Amino acid sequence: MKPRHKRFAMIAVGVTALGIATVLVLNAFQQNLVFFFTPTQVAANEAPRERSFRIGGIVEPGSVKRQPDGVTVHFVVTDTAKNVPVVYRGLLPDLFREGKGVVTQGRMTADGLFQASEVLAKHDENYMPPEAAHALKQAQAANPSATQTLVTDAPTGGKR
């Protein structure tokens, strides 16, 4: 084999390996990608039915119902415009409370219930995930008859 052919073969092998690595990385990224949706978007069927996603908002006061088994909890996440019923089986974060911000990850069931696999509560009195704060402000702007303002201009950890 001539040196020129060897170089061409090495370049072809390198480009092929780079292509395969790119496909594997993009495939792994696509499988682990989790999008955030508000209850209003979920009610409008903008959220995927076949994959996991996150939903964020406020835990509606009076909606938390614990089952006798001690680990199953039913509650409602709201953005003041629409509500999404959630069921979670596991231990809730210590900061999980009614009327406080929450982000849950899971899937929608066929009967319209959000089956959460993970529940994240806000970590202090002033912080709310920027996506959730923005979504709640938009929902309140669309529904000015809401009786209580749930989102203020709270610090967002330096992000805006």
Side-chain angles (χ1 to χ4, degrees), residues 35-49 53:
F35 290 104
F36 176 88
F37 293 92
T38 64
T40 300
Q41 290 172 314
V42 172
N45 291 323
E46 294 176 24
R49 292 282 178 186
F53 63 94

Side-chain angles (χ1 to χ4, degrees), residues 80-99:
T80 69
K82 298 289 183 179
N83 299 333
V84 175
V86 178
V87 63
Y88 175 67
R89 184 171 171 81
L91 297 174
L92 289 169
D94 290 337
L95 296 175
F96 179 87
R97 301 272 185 276
E98 293 179 351

